[in-house]
Amino acid sequence: MSDDNHTLPYPAADSEHPTLVIPGEGADAPAPRRRKRWPWVVAIVLVVLVGLVVAAEFIARAVLPGVVRSMVIEQLDLPADQQLDVTADGILLPQLIGGRLDSLQLSTDSVTLEGITGAVDVTAEGVPLRGGDLDGASGTIRVDESQFTELLSGTELPVDAVAFEAPNATVSGSVSVLGVAIPISLTVTPGVADGDLELTPVGLTVGGLEIDAEQVGSSLGALGANLTQTQRVCIADRLPAGLTLSDLQIDGSVAVIDVDVDGAIVTDETLQQPGVCPQS
């Protein structure tokens, strides 16, 4: 080979010509970064916990009505098959843990107490789950014309039937004058005074004729005078002693009676028993 075409030597490595390193090759290549998994784990745990809480809430709402229903039926000595709907407000789990329900509603389309049948709705506030009195309670009782007639059956009024025409009620019956039965219809506006029914007369017919107060007194004597005066009727003996009448309104074909409930009725058995009317 001729010296005219000699091979040049490869340049030596120096700082001006650094050797390039291909990424991923060589012993000093950095390891690939691993993705963090803990956020996904936390999310899955939270989803599971939420699911458990929701399931527990559904279970509580399914179980609580039956428990409350059984307690009410036992305390008031109602029939075992008594229809009674129970609902509670708010999220139940925190209330159950705290041992107190914020608000509880009980309702039935028909219940019989001391011979009087009606629909009842009661709302109780601050219901203790481990014993104790209610913070308070109130409700309404709805009775039809026939049951309202029963409420008045123990009075001195001549009551055979009652007809509603809001805001009044007409009491029909008969009185005996000289051995002759005379039909009487007394129209009154019902209300409540000091826990008693109050009947304020607004009209009277005797024998089918409308008459004024003076005519009643002269023709029917003491009975006639009583008919023209406001009547007070105690029905405490028809209700648990823990219930007090607060208002009464005629609404269509029913009388709506509002009641206040003593919070101690759940612990004091005497308040669960029928009340007492004062002797006249």
Side-chain angles (χ1 to χ4, degrees):
M1 180 176 292
S2 171
D3 292 336
D4 294 336
N5 298 304
H6 61 274
T7 302
L8 297 176
Y10 195 86
D14 54 30
S15 60
E16 295 182 8
H17 303 282
T19 303
L20 297 177
V21 178
I22 299 175
E25 294 186 3
D28 296 331
R33 180 176 296 179
R34 301 182 64 184
R35 269 186 160 184
K36 294 181 179 179
R37 296 183 179 177
W38 65 267
W40 294 101
V41 175
V42 172
I44 293 173
V45 171
L46 289 177
V47 170
V48 172
L49 289 178
V50 170
L52 291 175
V53 170
V54 171
E57 178 74 11
F58 274 114
I59 292 173
R61 289 194 174 277
V63 174
L64 180 65
V67 174
V68 174
R69 177 183 176 278
S70 298
M71 293 174 60
V72 172
I73 286 176
E74 179 180 356
Q75 289 182 346
L76 296 182
D77 195 25
L78 299 175
D81 60 351
Q82 173 66 50
Q83 176 261 326
L84 182 64
D85 297 329
V86 180
T87 57
D89 290 343
I91 300 176
L92 289 184
L93 282 182
Q95 300 178 54
L96 294 176
I97 294 173
R100 203 170 193 85
L101 298 178
D102 295 337
S103 179
L104 192 67
Q105 294 83 40
L106 299 93
S107 62
T108 177
D109 294 334
S110 179
V111 63
T112 300
L113 297 172
E114 298 302 313
I116 301 299
T117 300
V120 175
D121 295 281
V122 176
T123 298
E125 307 290 343
V127 182
L129 300 178
R130 301 182 182 93
D133 297 343
L134 305 172
D135 288 351
S138 60
T140 59
I141 303 171
R142 294 176 174 82
V143 297
D144 62 17
E145 295 169 338
S146 65
Q147 296 302 305
F148 196 78
T149 302
E150 289 293 327
L151 287 176
L152 302 182
S153 61
T155 69
E156 296 180 355
L157 295 174
V159 182
D160 292 332
V162 174
F164 293 151
E165 186 174 352
N168 299 323
T170 298
V171 179
S172 301
S174 62
V175 296
S176 178
V177 177
L178 300 177
V180 178
I182 299 177
I184 290 181
S185 293
L186 176 66
T187 300
V188 298
T189 301
V192 171
D194 300 326
D196 292 337
L197 288 180
E198 185 176 63
L199 307 176
T200 303
V202 294
L204 176 66
T205 63
V206 177
L209 300 175
E210 292 188 11
I211 58 177
D212 59 29
E214 294 181 358
Q215 290 176 314
V216 172
S218 61
S219 59
L220 298 180
L223 176 60
N226 288 336
L227 290 176
T228 61
Q229 296 177 357
T230 298
Q231 304 286 322
R232 293 281 290 272
V233 182
C234 174
I235 62 169
D237 56 351
R238 306 294 186 94
L239 301 170
L243 272 61
T244 302
L245 301 189
S246 60
D247 193 22
L248 189 153
Q249 300 286 335
I250 303 300
D251 182 11
S253 61
V254 296
V256 181
I257 305 171
D258 293 336
V259 297
D260 291 329
V261 184
D262 191 322
I265 195 172
V266 295
T267 58
D268 188 343
E269 292 186 359
T270 61
L271 296 179
Q272 301 167 16
Q273 303 302 315
V276 177
C277 287
Q279 297 293 327
S280 58

